[in-house]
Amino acid sequence: MKKIAILGSTGSIGRQALAVIDKNRDRFQVSVLAANSNAGLLYRQIKRFRPERAVMFQEQAADNLRKMIKGKMKTEILSGSRAIDMISSDKDIDVLLVAVTGISGLVSVINALRNGLCVALANKESLVAGGRFVMEQISKGRGMLIPVDSEHSAIFQLIAGADKKSISNVILTGTGGPFRGKSFEQIKDATIAQVLRHPRWNMGKKVSVDSATMVNKAFEMIEARWLFGLGADDIKVVIHPQALVHSLVQLRDGSYLAHIGPTDMRIPIGYALSYPERLGNIMKTAQLSELEDISFEKVRPPFDRPLRIARRIIEQDNDMGIVFNAADEVAVESFLEGRISFGDINRIVEYAMKHFRASGIRTVSDVTEFDLEVKRLIKKHIERF
Ligand code: NDP
Ligand code: MG
């Protein structure tokens, strides 16, 4: 029986992870559930999965949750960042699924690895901003990292056991998002509803906006760089609208290995939770007949802009991922609040990449402090819009 803790259990990935666990009660036991403020949903999850502990990041929400469960269930309710730190370093947990959004996952990932835990990582932002520090733990032989992001899960599976010398490059697939084939002029004033209407995946708001701007794929390049130790020339991106080929690996002899499966995040989530075993009852398999019409296209302007930023960060081997991530977090939030247009998101990110220099980053605290400084200044910049 594997003991599972989920940071971000009320989100898109968290809810799908619980659906996988629910179907595999003989394998998994939920020990901890954590979320930001959605006390109503966390209450229902506690009722169903009876974890030992649950964390609400927001104090007020934790108080509400305590009132809801009082006298009914034994789950201990904790709150705040210290509680998150505590559960992410709990050696009694077998797998910690980090499924929060933004840089808030970074400290948890590092805590967990430092304590030798296995981390199922959905939170790509922690690698974009602090990949160097995450991988430092792995290189010291501490803990284990299993990607949940579908492309990286695919590559992880494709290269398992492969001779590194036989690999030429990896190719991340992306659907192209809701605006594939459109010009900047056509999409710059897109509404929130249009942006959130992803053609293939049903995801949380932040990653949906990132998919529409292509920042998500840029983040995934940086994620691949850290997870698989690759250089800028070794990571390619191709548009594959059907989202059935989850990524490819090109070998030195010119052939490709491809990972094919249904468009369903429960599969990579299930794989990360059950690794090295595989679950047999997640959902239907992809029918080969669905592959009749699959296609691959080049990334076209304006969607290549964020990819160029990622490429530069990887080539220059610097800490500008902190700026990239922080500016994007603020810009996406401002867009979702209706303060800026869709087209402004990439403009703000590009402004930040020109405006800031990431130097003297030596510790994880340096990362989180610099992140806050960039966010503060970008918010000021947006106020002047
Ligand atoms: P959602 O926005 O749907 O969910 C985020 C979750 O994190 C919620 O449970 C939220 O709680 C919780 N949360 C946010 N901040 C904190 C905090 N400070 N402390 C504790 N909990 C917090 O996001 P997704 O599930 O879509 O994405 C999660 C991560 O996975 C992201 O990094 C994303 O890029 C990545 N990912 C997602 C995919 C998807 O299909 N959704 C695919 C691949 C990667 P509350 O509900 O209370 O606000
Ligand atoms: Mg992905």
Side-chain angles (χ1 to χ4, degrees):
M1 195 65 112
K2 275 192 182 179
K3 286 192 169 181
I4 312 287
I6 305 179
L7 298 187
S9 67
T10 54
S12 160
I13 293 285
R15 291 193 309 268
Q16 293 180 84
L18 286 173
V20 170
I21 292 171
D22 209 9
K23 277 195 153 192
N24 293 278
R25 297 273 190 155
D26 53 330
R27 284 171 178 262
F28 304 120
Q29 182 191 333
V30 177
S31 315
V32 187
L33 293 175
N36 182 35
S37 63
N38 189 344
L41 180 52
L42 195 58
Y43 171 75
R44 292 196 295 281
Q45 293 179 341
I46 294 170
K47 211 167 140 195
R48 185 157 185 91
F49 294 94
R50 305 284 167 148
E52 289 149 33
R53 282 170 292 164
V55 182
M56 286 265 66
F57 185 73
Q58 305 282 339
E59 300 283 345
Q60 182 61 51
D63 282 345
N64 293 343
L65 186 60
R66 279 190 199 101
K67 281 184 202 133
M68 287 185 221
I69 75 157
K70 199 170 175 204
K72 293 186 199 149
M73 284 168 273
K74 290 193 191 122
T75 302
E76 184 187 0
I77 308 295
L78 307 164
S79 59
S81 56
R82 284 185 62 189
I84 303 269
D85 288 352
M86 196 171 90
I87 59 159
S88 56
S89 42
D90 181 350
K91 291 193 170 126
D92 200 34
I93 290 165
D94 294 305
V95 182
L96 176 75
L97 171 62
V98 182
V100 296
T101 38
I103 199 174
S104 64
L106 176 62
V107 173
S108 307
V109 172
I110 290 180
N111 271 342
L113 294 175
R114 196 178 277 139
N115 284 285
L117 262 64
C118 172
V119 175
L121 186 68
N123 175 248
K124 62 193 91 185
E125 295 93 332
S126 55
L127 286 176
V128 174
R132 184 182 311 285
F133 299 97
V134 173
M135 297 321 288
E136 194 178 278
Q137 297 299 325
I138 298 291
S139 65
K140 286 180 180 163
R142 295 173 180 165
M144 178 164 192
L145 207 50
I146 307 187
V148 169
D149 211 351
S150 57
E151 299 77 2
H152 304 75
S153 173
I155 294 167
F156 182 85
Q157 296 173 56
L158 288 170
I159 65 176
D163 174 7
K164 262 206 145 183
K165 288 199 292 286
S166 66
I167 294 167
S168 170
N169 55 65
V170 304
I171 301 149
L172 302 169
T173 51
T175 60
F179 305 131
R180 181 172 65 94
K182 299 259 193 295
S183 68
F184 184 71
E185 272 307 305
Q186 285 171 302
I187 62 173
K188 66 183 185 11
D189 295 314
T191 64
I192 295 173
Q194 287 167 332
V195 171
L196 295 181
R197 211 175 297 133
H198 195 278
R200 296 291 291 172
W201 298 102
N202 188 5
M203 309 180 285
K205 284 185 184 169
K206 163 75 166 45
V207 63
S208 298
V209 179
D210 284 344
S211 295
T213 55
M214 207 67 167
V215 165
N216 181 51
K217 214 44 67 182
F219 281 2
E220 290 182 355
M221 289 170 67
I222 301 175
E223 187 182 7
R225 170 257 178 106
W226 290 117
L227 286 173
F228 308 117
L230 300 169
D233 290 338
D234 307 330
I235 307 166
K236 319 251 186 241
V237 172
V238 71
I239 299 301
H240 163 54
Q242 299 80 15
L244 291 168
V245 178
H246 297 303
S247 273
L248 303 105
V249 170
Q250 188 173 24
L251 303 172
R252 282 173 70 87
D253 61 11
S255 57
Y256 291 96
L257 303 176
H259 183 276
I260 300 171
T263 313
D264 190 327
M265 281 308 294
R266 287 174 297 179
I267 295 177
I269 293 169
Y271 179 76
L273 296 182
S274 62
Y275 178 86
E277 290 169 17
R278 275 179 199 272
L279 302 175
N281 60 348
I282 294 182
M283 64 163 300
K284 69 174 175 63
T285 56
Q287 297 302 317
L288 283 177
S289 56
E290 286 180 54
L291 300 178
E292 199 175 23
D293 291 320
I294 63 168
S295 57
F296 298 96
E297 304 163 7
K298 261 173 50 176
V299 180
R300 298 204 173 85
F303 297 105
D304 54 342
R305 281 162 53 180
L307 304 190
R308 275 197 246 128
I309 296 177
R311 191 182 161 89
R312 219 174 307 128
I313 292 173
I314 299 170
E315 272 170 356
Q316 295 176 355
D317 192 24
N318 58 25
D319 291 306
M320 286 297 285
I322 304 170
V323 175
F324 192 13
N325 178 68
D328 180 65
E329 274 192 46
V330 174
V332 170
E333 195 181 283
S334 303
F335 169 69
L336 291 171
E337 286 167 359
R339 290 171 199 271
I340 60 170
S341 71
F342 178 67
D344 288 335
I345 301 175
N346 277 346
R347 283 200 201 110
I348 288 164
V349 168
E350 283 167 2
Y351 164 85
M353 294 307 292
K354 283 204 190 97
H355 196 80
F356 293 96
R357 280 289 146 266
S359 57
I361 305 292
R362 290 195 184 83
T363 63
V364 182
S365 305
D366 292 342
V367 175
T368 51
E369 275 166 32
F370 188 44
D371 166 77
L372 289 176
E373 189 191 335
V374 174
K375 284 178 175 162
R376 188 173 57 81
L377 292 169
I378 293 295
K379 277 182 191 155
K380 272 195 163 170
H381 175 67
I382 290 174
E383 274 167 21
R384 293 195 292 267
F385 267 50

